[in-house]
Amino acid sequence: DISDLPAETQMGMVELFDAWGFDVNPLMQRVGGADDAVAHYRMIEASRASLDYDIDGVVYKVDRLDWQSRLGMVARAPRWAIAHKFPAEQATTTVNDIDIQVGRTGALTPVAKLEPITVGGVVVSNATLHNADEIERLGIRIGDTVVIQRAGDVIPQVVSVMQDKRPENSKPFVFPSECPVCGSAAAAEGDDVVVRCTGGLICPAQRVERLAHFVSRNAFDIDGLGEKQIAQLFARDWVHAPADIFKLADRNANDENPMQNWDGWGDLSVRNLMAAIDARRTIDFHRVIFGLGIPSVGQENAKILARHFKNIDGFVSFLA
C-alpha cells in the first residue's frame, strides 16, 4: 500500500525495486508490440532448460499502471495480463495396464498404468483416459507404446499411440459393463459419454469418495481427515456415513483398539483430529450443501441455494 506511486508503469516500479535492493527477474523486459513480445517469448523458451527454476510460460502485461486500473479484473484474472504457455514436454512409455476407478458420482474412469517415466521433471506412472470414447479415439491397448505429456505442465495425459510399436498379440480394451468394485450394472445415460455405476450408496467406492468430498477443503474442511484417513476408517468399519465422523470421539474412547494404536496415528494426531471435528460442528450453510455432493451443485450453486433457503430446514422441506 502506498500513498503515491513513484512510477507510472509496471516496468518503472520493477526498476525501482531493483534500485532499492530487491531481487527482480533479469528476463523481464519492456517491448514495443506483439512481434517483440513473441520474440522475447521464443528467447525464454529456448533458454528454459538452463534456468535454475521451473517455468511453464511467459506473462504479457500492459505496462501503464493507469491503463491496468482502467482495464480492471474479471473474477480473479486481470484484463491487463495474459499467460502464454510453453508447449508441454512429451515423452514415450509403455501402457502396462488400464485400471478402472470409480468416483463419487459413480463415474467409471479408465486410468493408464504406465511404465514410470520422467516428464517435465516429474516421474509419471498414471494418466487418466477420461472415458470409453477417449479410449476408442486413441485406440489405446494394454502393451502399447504411447506419447504422454503433462497438460499445462501438471496433469499427465496420453497424446497418441505409436501404432508401429504395438505388440502383435494385443487386443482392444473392452470397457466394463459392471462396476469393478460392487458388481452393479454400469452404463451411460442418454447422451452422456460417462459410464456410471448404478449401485449408488451400496457401492463402497462411491461411499468412500463421497465421504472424502464431505470433509474436503471447500466442504467441511476437517484438518487431518483426508482421503487416506477416510479410506482407513471405512475399511475398519468405523465410518460409513457423514454423521459417523461426528461420533468418532465416542467410538474411539470405547473401542478396545483405539486409533492411537493404528499405523500412522498417535496420541497427538488423534487429539488434533477430534478437536478439528469438534470445530466443524457449526459451519456456513453453503459448505453443508456443497459437502452433500449433489450432482451439478458446485461451490457457486451451493452459495446460491444457501442464500435462497437460508437454513437446512427450508432446504430439506424443498427436497421433500
Side-chain angles (χ1 to χ4, degrees):
D1 192 10
I2 191 167
S3 58
D4 187 22
L5 288 174
E8 297 180 348
T9 64
Q10 175 108 11
M11 196 65 186
M13 288 299 300
V14 171
E15 289 169 348
L16 278 172
F17 293 153
D18 186 27
W20 293 341
F22 288 98
D23 289 332
V24 299
N25 196 315
L27 292 176
M28 187 179 296
Q29 180 176 312
R30 182 192 283 118
V31 296
D35 290 343
D36 289 344
V38 172
H40 192 59
Y41 164 90
R42 297 296 181 201
M43 184 276 291
I44 295 176
E45 181 184 25
S47 61
R48 179 184 183 187
S50 64
L51 298 176
D52 58 0
Y53 50 88
D54 290 330
I55 59 172
D56 64 355
V58 170
V59 178
Y60 305 131
K61 298 180 181 180
V62 172
D63 194 30
R64 282 180 50 172
L65 298 177
D66 59 335
W67 285 1
Q68 289 186 13
S69 180
R70 286 175 59 188
L71 288 165
M73 306 276 289
V74 178
R76 294 172 295 176
R79 290 193 181 98
W80 46 267
I82 188 168
H84 189 175
K85 299 287 189 178
F86 295 134
E89 182 179 336
Q90 296 184 340
T92 60
T93 187
T94 306
V95 179
N96 293 330
D97 199 1
I98 297 177
D99 189 25
I100 300 294
Q101 297 181 352
V102 183
R104 173 173 59 87
T105 62
L108 270 59
T109 302
V111 177
K113 298 295 183 178
L114 308 170
E115 188 66 28
I117 185 76
T118 300
V119 185
V122 175
V123 177
V124 173
S125 57
N126 298 310
T128 178
L129 297 173
H130 301 292
N131 51 52
D133 281 9
E134 180 71 358
I135 288 179
E136 185 175 349
R137 183 187 73 80
L138 289 168
I140 192 168
R141 301 181 182 184
I142 296 172
D144 276 347
T145 298
V146 295
V147 178
I148 64 167
Q149 67 183 24
R150 292 171 63 218
D153 273 355
V154 178
I155 303 171
Q157 66 176 173
V158 176
V159 179
S160 61
V161 175
M162 303 178 72
Q163 301 281 356
D164 57 323
K165 295 187 177 181
R166 171 168 287 166
E168 294 182 1
N169 60 348
S170 70
K171 297 179 181 179
F173 180 78
V174 178
F175 207 87
S177 58
E178 294 182 351
C179 173
V181 177
C182 70
S184 299
E189 296 183 1
D191 296 330
D192 194 355
V193 298
V194 178
V195 175
R196 299 182 190 276
C197 165
T198 60
L201 289 179
I202 70 166
C203 179
Q206 290 190 56
R207 290 166 71 181
V208 169
E209 290 297 324
R210 291 188 186 194
L211 286 166
H213 175 77
F214 182 83
V215 301
S216 64
R217 178 174 299 176
N218 294 317
F220 273 70
D221 190 21
I222 299 177
D223 192 28
L225 195 58
E227 292 187 22
K228 180 181 177 180
Q229 291 79 17
I230 284 290
Q232 185 182 31
L233 289 164
F234 184 87
R236 287 179 175 267
D237 221 21
W238 277 40
V239 172
H240 291 278
D244 295 334
I245 294 169
F246 296 95
K247 302 173 185 175
L248 267 178
D250 289 340
R251 175 67 186 266
N252 192 59
N254 297 313
D255 198 277
E256 294 179 355
N257 183 24
M259 294 173 65
Q260 289 89 330
N261 298 337
W262 300 359
D263 288 341
W265 295 90
D267 290 338
L268 181 60
S269 58
V270 171
R271 188 162 59 248
N272 288 343
L273 174 60
M274 300 311 172
I277 292 172
D278 280 339
R280 309 309 285 169
R281 291 183 184 275
T282 301
I283 64 170
D284 293 333
F285 184 36
H286 68 86
R287 285 179 171 270
V288 178
I289 295 176
F290 178 72
L292 294 175
I294 302 169
S296 301
V297 178
Q299 287 179 259
E300 294 305 316
N301 282 340
K303 291 177 182 177
I304 292 170
L305 290 169
R307 285 196 296 267
H308 178 78
F309 291 106
K310 309 297 184 187
N311 55 51
I312 193 68
D313 293 331
F315 187 59
V316 170
S317 298
F318 171 75
L319 293 178

